[in-house]
Amino acid sequence: MNTPTRRIGIMAAMPEELQALLDVMPDESMERRAGREFWVGHLHGREVVAVLSRIGKVAAATTTTVLLSSYGVDQVIFTGVAGGLGDGVRVGDVVVADALIQHDMDASPLFPRFELPGLGLAALAPPATLTTAVRDTVEQVLSPASLAAGGALADVHLEALGLSQPRVHQGLIISGDQFIHSAQTSRALTQALPAALAVEMEGAAVAQVCHDFGMPYAVIRTISDRADDDAHIDFPRFIDAVARHYSLAIVEALLRRG
Ligand code: SAH
């Protein structure tokens, strides 16, 4: 990792997160490919290509493929929200993936459950050096001192939302084409994959495409709900009040870090 990153791809899962980023990019221009809008510009001295991933594994895989094959990025950062599964993974916390599994991949009995046919493994791991750098950055951005200082996160009012100081977790994120919104389903997922900290709908698909291209990537998810019977209630309010601010502050800190 001695060569500096020349061009970074930022994939956002939510329009609100992408907009927050575009609002601070001074010179972006838009190109449409495969029905997606790719925004090319600069931020904090770095070349950036920003795009909405779209929801679900196939949509996110298509977006990633176009980003990697047409835009010459040499690193991909994915930000979005997810349902918390692991004990102690609360709404408002952030999970940085060090492994990703497609929880709805099941070609058994031909292959073990969760294994990606042809790859011979179930979990894909982003490069450890990038994961560690991203985790350190997220910890700094969300530290009690940074939050108290206001700055980029001045509009996040955790107490008013009933949230406490966010914790940063590193571990397994699982993805599937399902919005998990019942305690019963999330229990079944944690029984099958006990290490899972969070569940969402794109990360492991982005990971598979990046794996095939040999592209370094990181997946960062703010916990918007607990993937239980209240998931649909918590969700929209949380994106507006917290997630888009975290996502922008984290991306800006990563870009500044170089
Ligand atoms: N209300 C949104 C739909 C979001 S779908 C809209 O109208 O556009 C949920 C998105 O958040 C997906 O991108 C998924 O990756 C993530 N997510 C958050 N909580 C989740 C959960 N409990 N289960 C699965 N995905 C979740």
Side-chain angles (χ1 to χ4, degrees), residues 13-14 55 81-83 178-180 199-202 221 224-225 227 231 235:
M14 297 289 134
I55 294 171
V81 293
Q178 233 184 332
F179 182 74
I180 307 298
V199 59
E200 36 85 317
M201 301 176 67
E202 299 84 17
R221 293 281 186 171
S224 55
D225 59 87
F235 192 76

Side-chain angles (χ1 to χ4, degrees), residues 133-147 168 253 257:
V134 167
R135 189 213 160 110
D136 288 350
T137 303
V138 177
E139 272 177 348
Q140 275 162 26
V141 168
L142 299 181
S143 70
S146 319
L147 289 174
V168 183
R257 207 184 150 113

Side-chain angles (χ1 to χ4, degrees), residues 13-16 53-56 78 80-85 103 174-182 189 199-203 221-228 231-232 235-236 239:
M14 297 289 134
E16 295 86 347
S53 69
R54 296 206 178 174
I55 294 171
F78 187 106
V81 293
L85 290 180
H103 68 72
I174 61 175
S175 315
D177 287 323
Q178 233 184 332
F179 182 74
I180 307 298
H181 60 96
S182 86
L189 286 173
V199 59
E200 36 85 317
M201 301 176 67
E202 299 84 17
R221 293 281 186 171
T222 303
I223 301 303
S224 55
D225 59 87
R226 278 289 305 176
D228 57 13
H232 62 293
F235 192 76
I239 307 282

